[in-house]
Amino acid sequence: MKIQGKMFIWLSVFVLAIAIVYGVWSKEPAGTTALFLAFGLCIMIGYYLAFTARRVDAGAQDNENAEVADDAGELGFFSPHSWQPLSLAVGGALTFLGVCFGWWLIYFSAPVILIGLFGWVFEYYRGENRTQ
Amino acid sequence: MHGTIMLLMFATPLFAGFANWIMPLQIGAPDVAFPRLNMFAYWLYLFGSLIAVAGFLTPQGAADFGWFAYSPLSGVVRSPGVGADMWIMGLAFSGFGTILGSVNFITTIICMRAPGMTMFRMPIFTWNVLLTGASRGVHHRVAVLRHHFRGHSGLLPEADVRLHRSDRRDDFHRRSFGDGLGAPHVCDGRRAIAVLLLHDIPHRGPDRCEVLQLDRHDVEGLALLRHYVIFGTVVFAMFSGFHFWWPKFTGKMLDERLGKITFWTLFVGFHGTFLVQHWLGVEGMPRRYADYLAADGFTTLNTISTIASFLLGLSILPFFYNVWKTAKYGKKVEVDDPWGYGRSLEWATSCPPPRHNFLTLPRIRSESPAFDLHHPEIAALDALQNGHGSADDKALAGGKEAGK
């Protein structure tokens, strides 16, 4: 993760330089604000990665001479098929439409969002995926 | 809506689709990092796009302030009707999908590469996914902020090009951000740079002209260049991606001859439609004009452009026929790499890949792991010539990695 952290830190340095140049040159608040925020986002990711890299091993994926066996074992958990994202997205879409057509739509979208959220959060507590 | 659909509802999801299919294969990952988030991102894109397009069903019609929605043109006074609101909310909604999708891609690339797949052994496509992901996250916020503030600072809509150009500050602003904005959102950074560079061209001369007549010259170029750049990259890349990875997607090779017909009709149609508009612009044809006088002298080139655009549209037909023919009569690919010289890791697994992508991973010693796997003698030769690595590594190390 070290190299990835460095990449984002370099990127943030670049964005910072651009933000200063842009701000001084254009004297325009919107773009300058956005660029400084972009700098903040980049440094956040970069710092997190560099911070994590100091606490974990480099890992086989960043080792040029790694063997396939170096990453043997559990690779990670991959969620099975699910309809919960659809429910949450339908609710979200209704909410966004509520902004266009009137806030009353949100009364109808809130239950759908809650169903989606509830289903998503408690997915592994019930049903066929309970043991996952 | 044309620009919105072309960029945000075609090009962006096209890229996300290819990234989903190919990127995990290229880095040797069993899946993306957050499959659920990925699915959620797709639904956000779908419903957001439907909301924006559903503006056509409203009495006042869909948003018609262009895909850039400059203030104050996009304000409630100049663009009344709920269609504009639906455009804004739809794009905001699908924009969240884009951001979440990018989070998923970046995390996958940072955390889930196969052993030995260092950052600088990743294929260029995977690098594109990473950089696009990073720029999307940043640019989306820039876009939102910029649009928000722009409305209050009283800057001018792009529609009035003459006034626009007299405002140097605004011009600077637009050059540095305006035109580049959608592009990174669409696909990759290279295109953003290309758009920025190309857009400088039509500005150069007229920028210094005070006369209205001259000022409007080659404005056609603005609309044209956007299409020339975006169509030239996205659509050609889409077809090349389909033809190249079709065996990986479906296990069957597309027909070569039909593929060539698709390419040449597309190529001729594309240049016939858009290239001639360069010259139209030079002759003084303004953009967004539906009609002109015979005395203007635009007729011939416009006729060529129209005919070629039909050819362009027809070029999709041989492709569809090819897809049908391949599905029906195509022979099953039995090898991992039907092309014979595939380099990146997706050619080291079966066509189509098994569940979770790889039954066995090859040892990765260069940026061409699949090539090294299928052509060990060349990889060994390469390693010997460069005279590097331990005796064990010599057989498999690629030349490019020798200096490290």
Side-chain angles (χ1 to χ4, degrees), chain B residues 225-255:
Chain B
L225 280 165
R226 219 185 302 254
H227 282 95
Y228 210 58
V229 171
I230 289 170
F231 195 97
T233 46
V234 178
V235 178
F236 278 90
M238 174 186 81
F239 279 117
S240 59
F242 278 150
H243 286 85
F244 185 53
W245 283 311
W246 203 261
K248 197 47 75 185
F249 294 159
T250 65
K252 288 173 180 179
M253 294 277 269
L254 282 172
D255 185 86

Short mmCIF file of all heavy atoms in Angstrom, two decimals, chain B residues 225-255:
data_model
loop_
_atom_site.label_atom_id
_atom_site.label_comp_id
_atom_site.label_asym_id
_atom_site.label_seq_id
_atom_site.Cartn_x
_atom_site.Cartn_y
_atom_site.Cartn_z
N LEU B 225 -15.79 19.37 -32.67
CA LEU B 225 -14.61 18.79 -32.04
C LEU B 225 -15.01 17.87 -30.90
O LEU B 225 -14.41 16.83 -30.68
CB LEU B 225 -13.70 19.89 -31.51
CG LEU B 225 -12.86 20.50 -32.62
CD1 LEU B 225 -12.24 21.79 -32.17
CD2 LEU B 225 -11.78 19.53 -33.04
N ARG B 226 -16.03 18.28 -30.18
CA ARG B 226 -16.49 17.43 -29.09
C ARG B 226 -16.89 16.07 -29.64
O ARG B 226 -16.52 15.03 -29.09
CB ARG B 226 -17.68 18.09 -28.41
CG ARG B 226 -17.66 17.90 -26.92
CD ARG B 226 -18.90 18.45 -26.30
NE ARG B 226 -19.12 19.85 -26.56
CZ ARG B 226 -18.94 20.82 -25.67
NH1 ARG B 226 -18.51 20.54 -24.49
NH2 ARG B 226 -19.20 22.05 -25.96
N HIS B 227 -17.63 16.07 -30.74
CA HIS B 227 -18.04 14.80 -31.32
C HIS B 227 -16.84 14.06 -31.91
O HIS B 227 -16.74 12.84 -31.79
CB HIS B 227 -19.09 15.03 -32.42
CG HIS B 227 -20.44 15.31 -31.87
ND1 HIS B 227 -20.92 16.56 -31.67
CD2 HIS B 227 -21.40 14.46 -31.44
CE1 HIS B 227 -22.14 16.49 -31.16
NE2 HIS B 227 -22.45 15.23 -31.00
N TYR B 228 -15.98 14.79 -32.54
CA TYR B 228 -14.83 14.15 -33.17
C TYR B 228 -13.98 13.45 -32.14
O TYR B 228 -13.53 12.32 -32.33
CB TYR B 228 -14.00 15.24 -33.88
CG TYR B 228 -13.26 14.74 -35.10
CD1 TYR B 228 -13.94 14.17 -36.15
CD2 TYR B 228 -11.89 14.86 -35.18
CE1 TYR B 228 -13.27 13.72 -37.27
CE2 TYR B 228 -11.21 14.42 -36.30
CZ TYR B 228 -11.91 13.85 -37.34
OH TYR B 228 -11.24 13.41 -38.43
N VAL B 229 -13.77 14.11 -31.02
CA VAL B 229 -12.93 13.53 -29.97
C VAL B 229 -13.67 12.41 -29.25
O VAL B 229 -13.15 11.32 -29.07
CB VAL B 229 -12.52 14.62 -28.96
CG1 VAL B 229 -11.84 14.00 -27.77
CG2 VAL B 229 -11.61 15.63 -29.63
N ILE B 230 -14.90 12.68 -28.86
CA ILE B 230 -15.60 11.71 -28.02
C ILE B 230 -16.04 10.50 -28.83
O ILE B 230 -15.88 9.37 -28.40
CB ILE B 230 -16.78 12.39 -27.32
CG1 ILE B 230 -16.23 13.33 -26.25
CG2 ILE B 230 -17.71 11.38 -26.70
CD1 ILE B 230 -17.25 14.23 -25.65
N PHE B 231 -16.57 10.75 -30.01
CA PHE B 231 -16.97 9.62 -30.84
C PHE B 231 -15.74 8.80 -31.22
O PHE B 231 -15.73 7.59 -31.13
CB PHE B 231 -17.69 10.12 -32.10
CG PHE B 231 -18.43 9.04 -32.82
CD1 PHE B 231 -19.78 8.88 -32.61
CD2 PHE B 231 -17.78 8.19 -33.68
CE1 PHE B 231 -20.47 7.88 -33.26
CE2 PHE B 231 -18.46 7.18 -34.33
CZ PHE B 231 -19.81 7.02 -34.12
N GLY B 232 -14.70 9.52 -31.63
CA GLY B 232 -13.47 8.84 -32.06
C GLY B 232 -12.88 7.98 -30.97
O GLY B 232 -12.30 6.92 -31.24
N THR B 233 -13.00 8.41 -29.73
CA THR B 233 -12.44 7.58 -28.66
C THR B 233 -13.46 6.55 -28.18
O THR B 233 -13.19 5.36 -28.19
CB THR B 233 -12.00 8.44 -27.47
OG1 THR B 233 -13.03 9.37 -27.18
CG2 THR B 233 -10.73 9.17 -27.77
N VAL B 234 -14.64 7.02 -27.78
CA VAL B 234 -15.56 6.10 -27.09
C VAL B 234 -16.11 5.03 -28.01
O VAL B 234 -16.06 3.84 -27.71
CB VAL B 234 -16.71 6.88 -26.42
CG1 VAL B 234 -17.66 5.92 -25.75
CG2 VAL B 234 -16.17 7.86 -25.42
N VAL B 235 -16.63 5.44 -29.17
CA VAL B 235 -17.31 4.45 -30.00
C VAL B 235 -16.32 3.50 -30.64
O VAL B 235 -16.54 2.28 -30.66
CB VAL B 235 -18.19 5.15 -31.05
CG1 VAL B 235 -18.86 4.13 -31.94
CG2 VAL B 235 -19.24 6.01 -30.37
N PHE B 236 -15.21 4.03 -31.12
CA PHE B 236 -14.20 3.13 -31.69
C PHE B 236 -13.64 2.21 -30.60
O PHE B 236 -13.42 1.02 -30.82
CB PHE B 236 -13.08 3.92 -32.36
CG PHE B 236 -13.43 4.35 -33.77
CD1 PHE B 236 -14.05 5.55 -33.99
CD2 PHE B 236 -13.17 3.53 -34.84
CE1 PHE B 236 -14.40 5.95 -35.27
CE2 PHE B 236 -13.51 3.90 -36.13
CZ PHE B 236 -14.14 5.13 -36.34
N ALA B 237 -13.42 2.78 -29.43
CA ALA B 237 -12.91 1.95 -28.33
C ALA B 237 -13.92 0.89 -27.95
O ALA B 237 -13.57 -0.25 -27.66
CB ALA B 237 -12.59 2.82 -27.12
N MET B 238 -15.21 1.25 -28.00
CA MET B 238 -16.24 0.28 -27.67
C MET B 238 -16.22 -0.90 -28.63
O MET B 238 -16.18 -2.05 -28.22
CB MET B 238 -17.62 0.94 -27.71
CG MET B 238 -18.75 -0.03 -27.51
SD MET B 238 -20.36 0.74 -27.73
CE MET B 238 -20.52 0.73 -29.50
N PHE B 239 -16.18 -0.59 -29.94
CA PHE B 239 -16.19 -1.68 -30.91
C PHE B 239 -14.92 -2.50 -30.84
O PHE B 239 -14.95 -3.73 -30.95
CB PHE B 239 -16.41 -1.14 -32.33
CG PHE B 239 -17.86 -0.86 -32.61
CD1 PHE B 239 -18.30 0.43 -32.89
CD2 PHE B 239 -18.78 -1.88 -32.60
CE1 PHE B 239 -19.63 0.68 -33.14
CE2 PHE B 239 -20.12 -1.64 -32.86
CZ PHE B 239 -20.54 -0.35 -33.12
N SER B 240 -13.78 -1.83 -30.66
CA SER B 240 -12.55 -2.60 -30.57
C SER B 240 -12.57 -3.47 -29.33
O SER B 240 -12.16 -4.63 -29.35
CB SER B 240 -11.33 -1.68 -30.58
OG SER B 240 -11.39 -0.79 -29.50
N GLY B 241 -13.10 -2.92 -28.22
CA GLY B 241 -13.21 -3.71 -27.00
C GLY B 241 -14.11 -4.91 -27.18
O GLY B 241 -13.78 -6.02 -26.76
N PHE B 242 -15.24 -4.70 -27.85
CA PHE B 242 -16.16 -5.82 -28.08
C PHE B 242 -15.49 -6.90 -28.92
O PHE B 242 -15.56 -8.08 -28.59
CB PHE B 242 -17.41 -5.33 -28.81
CG PHE B 242 -18.44 -4.73 -27.89
CD1 PHE B 242 -19.29 -3.73 -28.33
CD2 PHE B 242 -18.58 -5.17 -26.59
CE1 PHE B 242 -20.24 -3.17 -27.50
CE2 PHE B 242 -19.53 -4.62 -25.74
CZ PHE B 242 -20.36 -3.61 -26.20
N HIS B 243 -14.82 -6.49 -30.01
CA HIS B 243 -14.25 -7.49 -30.88
C HIS B 243 -13.09 -8.21 -30.22
O HIS B 243 -12.89 -9.40 -30.40
CB HIS B 243 -13.80 -6.85 -32.21
CG HIS B 243 -14.94 -6.51 -33.11
ND1 HIS B 243 -15.65 -5.33 -33.01
CD2 HIS B 243 -15.54 -7.22 -34.10
CE1 HIS B 243 -16.62 -5.32 -33.92
NE2 HIS B 243 -16.58 -6.44 -34.59
N PHE B 244 -12.32 -7.45 -29.44
CA PHE B 244 -11.15 -8.04 -28.79
C PHE B 244 -11.57 -9.00 -27.67
O PHE B 244 -11.05 -10.12 -27.57
CB PHE B 244 -10.27 -6.92 -28.24
CG PHE B 244 -8.98 -7.40 -27.64
CD1 PHE B 244 -8.12 -8.21 -28.35
CD2 PHE B 244 -8.63 -7.00 -26.36
CE1 PHE B 244 -6.92 -8.64 -27.79
CE2 PHE B 244 -7.44 -7.42 -25.80
CZ PHE B 244 -6.58 -8.24 -26.51
N TRP B 245 -12.50 -8.57 -26.84
CA TRP B 245 -12.83 -9.35 -25.64
C TRP B 245 -14.05 -10.24 -25.79
O TRP B 245 -14.44 -10.91 -24.85
CB TRP B 245 -13.01 -8.41 -24.44
CG TRP B 245 -11.71 -7.91 -23.89
CD1 TRP B 245 -10.62 -8.66 -23.59
CD2 TRP B 245 -11.36 -6.55 -23.58
NE1 TRP B 245 -9.61 -7.86 -23.10
CE2 TRP B 245 -10.04 -6.57 -23.09
CE3 TRP B 245 -12.05 -5.34 -23.66
CZ2 TRP B 245 -9.39 -5.41 -22.68
CZ3 TRP B 245 -11.40 -4.20 -23.26
CH2 TRP B 245 -10.07 -4.23 -22.78
N TRP B 246 -14.67 -10.21 -26.99
CA TRP B 246 -15.86 -11.03 -27.16
C TRP B 246 -15.61 -12.50 -26.79
O TRP B 246 -16.43 -13.11 -26.09
CB TRP B 246 -16.40 -10.91 -28.58
CG TRP B 246 -17.85 -11.25 -28.67
CD1 TRP B 246 -18.40 -12.43 -29.07
CD2 TRP B 246 -18.95 -10.39 -28.32
NE1 TRP B 246 -19.77 -12.37 -29.00
CE2 TRP B 246 -20.13 -11.14 -28.53
CE3 TRP B 246 -19.05 -9.09 -27.83
CZ2 TRP B 246 -21.40 -10.61 -28.28
CZ3 TRP B 246 -20.31 -8.58 -27.59
CH2 TRP B 246 -21.46 -9.32 -27.81
N PRO B 247 -14.50 -13.10 -27.25
CA PRO B 247 -14.26 -14.49 -26.83
C PRO B 247 -14.15 -14.63 -25.31
O PRO B 247 -14.59 -15.63 -24.75
CB PRO B 247 -12.94 -14.85 -27.53
CG PRO B 247 -12.35 -13.58 -27.95
CD PRO B 247 -13.48 -12.64 -28.19
N LYS B 248 -13.61 -13.60 -24.66
CA LYS B 248 -13.49 -13.67 -23.20
C LYS B 248 -14.86 -13.54 -22.54
O LYS B 248 -15.15 -14.19 -21.54
CB LYS B 248 -12.55 -12.55 -22.73
CG LYS B 248 -11.99 -12.68 -21.34
CD LYS B 248 -11.45 -14.04 -21.00
CE LYS B 248 -10.12 -14.37 -21.62
NZ LYS B 248 -9.72 -15.75 -21.33
N PHE B 249 -15.75 -12.73 -23.15
CA PHE B 249 -17.08 -12.56 -22.59
C PHE B 249 -17.93 -13.82 -22.80
O PHE B 249 -18.62 -14.28 -21.89
CB PHE B 249 -17.83 -11.40 -23.28
CG PHE B 249 -17.24 -10.05 -23.04
CD1 PHE B 249 -17.52 -9.00 -23.90
CD2 PHE B 249 -16.44 -9.80 -21.94
CE1 PHE B 249 -16.99 -7.74 -23.68
CE2 PHE B 249 -15.90 -8.54 -21.72
CZ PHE B 249 -16.19 -7.51 -22.60
N THR B 250 -17.91 -14.34 -24.05
CA THR B 250 -18.90 -15.33 -24.44
C THR B 250 -18.31 -16.69 -24.78
O THR B 250 -19.05 -17.66 -24.89
CB THR B 250 -19.67 -14.86 -25.68
OG1 THR B 250 -18.74 -14.80 -26.77
CG2 THR B 250 -20.29 -13.49 -25.47
N GLY B 251 -17.01 -16.75 -24.98
CA GLY B 251 -16.41 -18.02 -25.37
C GLY B 251 -16.44 -18.26 -26.87
O GLY B 251 -16.11 -19.35 -27.33
N LYS B 252 -16.83 -17.24 -27.66
CA LYS B 252 -16.86 -17.41 -29.11
C LYS B 252 -16.24 -16.19 -29.79
O LYS B 252 -16.54 -15.06 -29.40
CB LYS B 252 -18.30 -17.60 -29.61
CG LYS B 252 -18.88 -18.94 -29.23
CD LYS B 252 -20.34 -19.02 -29.58
CE LYS B 252 -20.90 -20.38 -29.20
NZ LYS B 252 -22.33 -20.49 -29.50
N MET B 253 -15.44 -16.44 -30.82
CA MET B 253 -14.80 -15.34 -31.55
C MET B 253 -15.80 -14.71 -32.52
O MET B 253 -16.50 -15.42 -33.23
CB MET B 253 -13.61 -15.86 -32.36
CG MET B 253 -12.46 -16.37 -31.55
SD MET B 253 -11.41 -15.04 -31.00
CE MET B 253 -10.22 -14.97 -32.33
N LEU B 254 -15.82 -13.39 -32.57
CA LEU B 254 -16.64 -12.72 -33.57
C LEU B 254 -16.04 -12.94 -34.95
O LEU B 254 -14.83 -13.15 -35.10
CB LEU B 254 -16.71 -11.22 -33.28
CG LEU B 254 -17.64 -10.77 -32.16
CD1 LEU B 254 -17.45 -9.30 -31.90
CD2 LEU B 254 -19.09 -11.05 -32.50
N ASP B 255 -16.91 -12.88 -35.96
CA ASP B 255 -16.47 -13.10 -37.33
C ASP B 255 -15.55 -11.96 -37.78
O ASP B 255 -15.90 -10.78 -37.67
CB ASP B 255 -17.70 -13.17 -38.24
CG ASP B 255 -17.32 -13.52 -39.66
OD1 ASP B 255 -17.20 -14.72 -39.94
OD2 ASP B 255 -17.13 -12.59 -40.48
#
